Every structure is written in C-alpha cells, then in structure tokens.
C-alpha cells in the first residue's frame, strides 16, 4: 500500500498555512502525479458532486484531491456520513479536510468534539494523518522564516533571522509577501542583512487595522484604493481574496474581544494592544458587528458567482469606508 495518507486533517486558523501544508503533502506523498483538485466549502450546502468525488474514481485513472475548506463547520450528520467513505484506502482519491477554528484563550486550536468521537479520528491520529498549527505566533514564526530561507537558499545570520521573525506580520499571506520582498532585495548574493528588515511594511493597503484607523480618523485610504483599482491584486487569485477576508474576520474578532474587555484569542503584538483597544471602544459593538456582515456579503457574492473577486473586494472596501467614516461615527452615537 502507498505511504500516502488515506485521508488528512489539517487544523489551523490561517488559510495560507493550510494551503502551504496541502502543497507540502502533495509534494511528499503525491508520487509525482498531477492531481485533479476539487475544492468544497463545508459552510455551504454541499452538492451531490461532493460525495461522488469522494467515492467514485475518475474513469481515466487521474488521481483526485478533494479539499474541504472550513470543515470545522460540518454538522454531525456530515461527519457520520463520512464513516463508510473513509473506512478503506482509495488509491485514486485523497480527501483533505481543512479545519479552520479560531484559537482558544490559550492559543490552541482543537478539532470539534463531534469529530474526535468518529471511528476514523483515532486512526488518523495514530497514523500521523493529523496536522495541527496555531498559526503564526512568536513561537512558530522562526520555523516559518527558516523554511522560507531554505526554499530560497538565502543566507541569514541568527541575530538577523530573530529580528526578522519579530518584525513580520502574524498572518502567513502577509509574512510570505514581506519575505518575498526581502528575497528580491537580497539580490544575487542571497544574503539577508539587518537593513533589509526596514523593507517590511504595514501600510494601509495591506494592514486591516491601519485601514480601519485611517478611515475613522477621517483620512482617505488612498493606498487601499490604489491596490484595488490600479494593481488589481484580487483578480489574480481567489486565494488572495479569501485570505483578505480571513484577515478582516481576524481583526474584527480581535477588536470585538478588546472592546468587551477580554484578552484577544489570537496573538497581538504588545506595541499595538493599546491602540487596538482604543479603536475598539471608539467603534462600539454595533459597527464592529457589521464587519462580519460585510465580509459574508463579499464571500457570498463570489461563491454564488454573482460577483468576481475583484468586484466583491471593491464593494467590501467601499462598505468598510462607509461604515467607519467619521460621518457614520457621528450618526451611530
């Protein structure tokens, strides 16, 4: 039998880290084959094609990778229904279930209890088919940087690597973008020096917190709009769009928790905790709760085909600007 996992569970709140782990698994166990990839979202109503993709091999023999995003949203009936499908190894079909729960107060991510009670869960644990990560934290960031340095064959001293890990944003998409920028700056020599760390940016066009702050303070977030209309970043990949939504939800959750006087459930750099707390109090619960509505509207528009990622992103940014503008702040008091 192949050493490829019969099925895989990936548990992490960061969608980009999950994507990277999927790629790593395919590279390690994919036997050099080209996999037909099918993606589904567990928080949507799953079509009949999903269950067919899990059980009926391709007639031409093309191996199939069935990736289920947000599998933590599965209800008990769905987990139960998977029992027969996962009871035997299928060489042509590889199910990968991506669970994306928020970290708890201790910074840990756990599978839902209904999943751990299934017969196939202990099998996956025993055979090493479960991968868990809390996301990028001060503890995990050094390994993320080291992995990037190895892939790019860069040269970096331990002190610079430590300073770099401390300066990077704690979302994998943002951190990877900054590391790519530094790799380019390193040039042909491939050596990363301390001066390169100054290239790391937390501009309003990439940092959700700074964007919200700039709008609330009455400043026009030109860089955000420039990213939308000039660079057309979101039109190049759905993953970028959904990663932005994940960042928006993450920031909304942090602000909500701080506004309620609670400790954030995800890591927040100590230098910005006070700023975020002040912003959360200024926004208030009514406007903070609207963040989720805007994100869900954007996500629904893309998933149903009513909007392209680019159109949904433009509408989302426009909605956020309207929601957090000074005029709105006065009307909600």
């Amino acid at each position: 039998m192949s050493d490829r996992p019969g099925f895989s569970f990936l548990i992490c709140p960061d969608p980009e880290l999950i994507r990277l782990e999927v790629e790593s698994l395919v590279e390690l166990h994919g036997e050099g084959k080209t996999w037909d990839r099918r993606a589904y979202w567990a928080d949507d109503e799953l079509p009949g094609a999903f269950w067919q993709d899990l059980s009926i091999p391709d007639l031409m023999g093309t191996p199939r990778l069935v990736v289920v995003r947000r599998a933590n949203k599965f209800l008990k009936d769905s987990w139960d229904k998977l029992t027969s499908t996962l009871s035997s190894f299928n060489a042509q079909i590889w199910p990968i279930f991506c669970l994306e729960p928020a970290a708890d107060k201790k910074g840990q991510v756990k599978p839902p209890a209904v999943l751990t009670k299934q017969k196939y869960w202990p099998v996956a644990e025993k055979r090493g088919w479960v991968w868990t990560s809390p996301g990028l934290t001060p503890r995990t960031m050094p390994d993320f940087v080291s992995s990037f340095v190895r892939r790019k064959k860069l040269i970096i001293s331990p002190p610079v690597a430590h300073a770099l890990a401390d300066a990077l944003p704690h979302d994998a998409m943002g951190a990877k973008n900054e590391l790519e920028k530094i790799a380019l700056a390193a040039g042909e020599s491939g050596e990363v020096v301390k001066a390169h760390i100054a290239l790391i940016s937390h501009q309003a066009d990439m940092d959700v917190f700074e964007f919200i702050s700039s709008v609330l303070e009455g400043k026009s977030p030109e860089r955000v709009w420039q990213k939308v209309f000039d660079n057309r970043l979101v039109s190049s990949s759905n993953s970028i769009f959904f990663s932005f939504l994940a960042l928006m939800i993450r920031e909304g959750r942090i602000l909500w928790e701080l506004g309620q006087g609670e400790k954030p459930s995800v890591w927040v750099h100590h230098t910005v905790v006070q700023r975020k707390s002040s912003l959360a109090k200024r926004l208030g619960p009514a406007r903070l709760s609207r963040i989720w509505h805007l994100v869900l509207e954007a996500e629904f528009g893309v998933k149903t085909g009513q909007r392209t990622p680019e159109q949904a992103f433009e509408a989302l940014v426009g909605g956020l600007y309207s929601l957090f503008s000074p005029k709105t702040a006065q009307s909600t008091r």
Side-chain angles (χ1 to χ4, degrees):
M1 180 182 290
S2 169
D3 64 349
R4 193 214 86 196
F7 47 90
S8 302
F9 291 105
L10 312 182
I11 309 174
C12 179
D14 192 316
E16 178 62 14
L17 284 182
I18 284 181
R19 188 192 70 79
L20 292 173
E21 182 61 19
V22 170
E23 297 303 324
S24 178
L25 285 173
V26 172
E27 182 178 354
L28 183 63
H29 301 294
E31 302 175 346
K33 299 177 181 177
T34 299
W35 292 76
D36 177 20
R37 303 192 182 203
R38 309 287 177 88
Y40 294 93
W41 297 77
D43 50 357
D44 287 341
E45 184 176 354
L46 292 170
F50 167 71
W51 301 103
Q52 293 177 10
D53 283 343
L54 280 179
S55 57
I56 304 176
D58 181 75
L59 294 177
M60 303 301 294
T62 303
R64 181 185 305 134
L65 196 70
V66 182
V67 179
V68 183
R69 294 289 311 277
R70 298 183 185 172
N72 51 297
K73 299 294 185 180
F74 262 150
L75 299 178
K76 183 178 183 300
D77 288 347
S78 295
W79 289 124
D80 290 345
K81 193 174 180 180
L82 286 166
T83 300
S84 59
T85 302
L86 303 183
S87 62
S88 60
F89 182 84
N90 191 322
Q92 295 299 107
I93 301 174
W94 184 358
I96 298 182
F97 301 93
C98 306
L99 292 89
E100 306 168 41
D104 61 21
K105 297 297 182 181
K106 296 182 180 180
Q108 299 177 333
V109 288
K110 300 177 181 179
V114 66
L115 170 58
T116 59
K117 294 177 181 178
Q118 299 293 332
K119 294 181 179 179
Y120 47 80
W121 177 257
V123 174
E125 281 194 309
K126 182 179 180 179
R127 298 188 180 183
W129 296 349
V130 179
W131 173 82
T132 304
S133 170
L136 291 183
T137 68
R139 184 176 61 82
T140 62
M141 183 65 83
D143 287 340
F144 183 81
V145 173
S146 297
S147 177
F148 182 89
V149 168
R150 286 194 300 271
R151 291 198 307 272
K152 295 293 184 177
K153 298 180 180 180
L154 300 174
I155 302 170
I156 186 170
S157 68
V160 175
H162 177 77
L164 179 59
D166 188 56
L168 288 169
H170 281 68
D171 69 275
M173 178 65 76
K176 187 183 71 171
N177 288 340
E178 298 298 341
L179 288 170
E180 291 284 0
K181 185 194 305 181
I182 288 176
L184 287 174
E188 295 183 1
S189 70
E191 182 176 4
V192 179
V193 298
K194 191 172 182 180
H196 289 144
I197 298 177
L199 297 174
I200 296 176
S201 63
H202 298 279
Q203 300 175 29
D205 62 348
M206 295 301 291
D207 189 291
V208 174
F209 170 66
E210 293 296 340
F211 166 58
I212 294 174
S213 299
S214 67
V215 175
L216 190 63
E217 292 168 2
K219 301 175 182 177
S220 177
E222 295 89 352
R223 290 175 178 171
V224 174
W225 290 109
Q226 183 178 358
K227 183 67 68 177
V228 176
F229 293 110
D230 295 344
N231 295 346
R232 300 294 181 175
L233 179 61
V234 291
S235 63
S236 62
S237 171
N238 278 10
S239 65
I240 296 175
F241 171 74
F242 287 114
S243 292
F244 180 84
L245 295 189
L247 288 176
M248 195 72 235
I249 292 175
R250 179 181 185 275
E251 190 63 38
R253 183 170 67 250
I254 291 172
L255 292 173
W256 178 270
E257 291 168 340
L258 289 173
Q260 299 299 310
E262 301 175 3
K263 182 179 178 181
S265 56
V266 296
W267 183 84
V268 178
H269 200 284
H270 65 89
T271 59
V272 295
V273 169
Q274 186 56 49
R275 287 186 63 201
K276 287 178 183 282
S277 297
S278 299
L279 178 61
K281 292 177 182 178
R282 291 177 63 189
L283 288 172
R287 282 192 293 169
L288 284 175
S289 65
R290 279 290 299 164
I291 292 177
W292 283 277
H293 291 284
L294 290 170
V295 171
L296 288 174
E297 287 174 1
E299 182 177 327
F300 180 79
V302 173
K303 287 184 176 180
T304 58
Q306 296 178 16
R307 288 177 173 175
T308 65
E310 183 178 47
Q311 292 169 336
F313 188 77
E314 292 175 3
L316 173 61
V317 173
L320 291 171
Y321 188 86
S322 176
L323 178 63
F324 296 127
S325 67
K327 181 181 296 185
T328 306
Q330 294 175 3
S331 65
T332 56
R333 289 173 183 171

